[in-house]
Amino acid sequence: MPKASPGPSSTLLTPTDHTLVLIDHQSQMAFAVRSIDVGSLRTNAALLSRAAVGFGVSTVVTTVAEKSFSGPLFPEIGDTFAQGAVYDRTTMNAWEDVPVVQRINEIGKDRLVFAGLWTSVCIVGPVLSAIEQGFQTYVVTDACGDVSDEAHERAVTRMVQAGAVPMTSLQYMLELQRDWARGETYGLTTGIARELAGGYGIGIQYAKAMFGAQEGGH
């Protein structure tokens, strides 16, 4: 019988062990999204982006045909990563774009977390390509969207069957925090949650206002 000992699984993400790849969160790409309400999609993308910046996660942001067809990034992403480079492509599969792959190699992390539009094209392509080349991949499914529930779900299933790990934007942030005793990021995590994490965020606000309660005794 195995013996339990305190410690995290090696499959859990940390701020320094992965690169976040945000693909094509653009206005034209969002017009046809039906698998998730676009307002919820924007909120989830904002939570994901702000968590990544706050925790210092290496991030690659990419667009497709920004000036000629697909339009600007969601402001929630463009404003958050205003100081970073955005890689614009012609390829539907970002993994076939030389500058994008060069940047991933420069960063040098073998664990990648993906989110973007559309799930069945712009996310499936690089995720399957990265897995085939030996990368560990995660997909933030509620920061992705597609033209139908069917398209999104079949894409997620296809990636999971190939070895990708699905997760949500809030799960991503809380996995990076993982211990409320980590005071240096406590305010960041609960602040983002209060603003963007729906009922959970309202609960944090209520507990603090009514009882002075805080996670981990902060």
Side-chain angles (χ1 to χ4, degrees), residues 77-110:
I77 295 177
D79 294 347
T80 301
F81 295 101
Q83 304 306 312
V86 176
Y87 295 85
D88 192 53
R89 326 176 315 278
T90 60
T91 61
M92 285 184 275
N93 178 5
W95 208 265
E96 296 179 47
D97 185 80
V98 172
V100 170
V101 173
Q102 284 179 335
R103 181 58 184 147
I104 288 171
N105 287 334
E106 287 170 2
I107 295 170
K109 307 283 177 67
D110 62 5

Side-chain angles (χ1 to χ4, degrees), residues 24-138:
D24 306 349
H25 286 98
Q26 296 168 264
S27 50
Q28 194 279 336
M29 301 300 296
F31 292 158
V33 166
R34 297 295 181 269
S35 63
I36 183 174
D37 172 75
V38 173
S40 297
L41 173 65
R42 291 179 64 181
T43 297
N44 296 337
L47 192 157
L48 179 65
S49 299
R50 286 172 55 178
V53 169
F55 279 94
V57 174
S58 58
T59 305
V60 175
V61 181
T62 180
T63 56
V64 62
E66 178 186 5
K67 302 298 184 184
S68 61
F69 184 73
S70 297
L73 284 165
F74 292 0
E76 293 84 356
I77 295 177
D79 294 347
T80 301
F81 295 101
Q83 304 306 312
V86 176
Y87 295 85
D88 192 53
R89 326 176 315 278
T90 60
T91 61
M92 285 184 275
N93 178 5
W95 208 265
E96 296 179 47
D97 185 80
V98 172
V100 170
V101 173
Q102 284 179 335
R103 181 58 184 147
I104 288 171
N105 287 334
E106 287 170 2
I107 295 170
K109 307 283 177 67
D110 62 5
R111 185 173 282 182
L112 304 174
V113 179
F114 290 89
L117 307 179
W118 299 330
T119 324
S120 61
V121 182
C122 301
I123 301 302
V124 160
V127 167
L128 296 184
S129 302
I131 290 172
E132 190 170 284
Q133 293 180 16
F135 289 83
Q136 298 177 31
T137 67
Y138 297 68

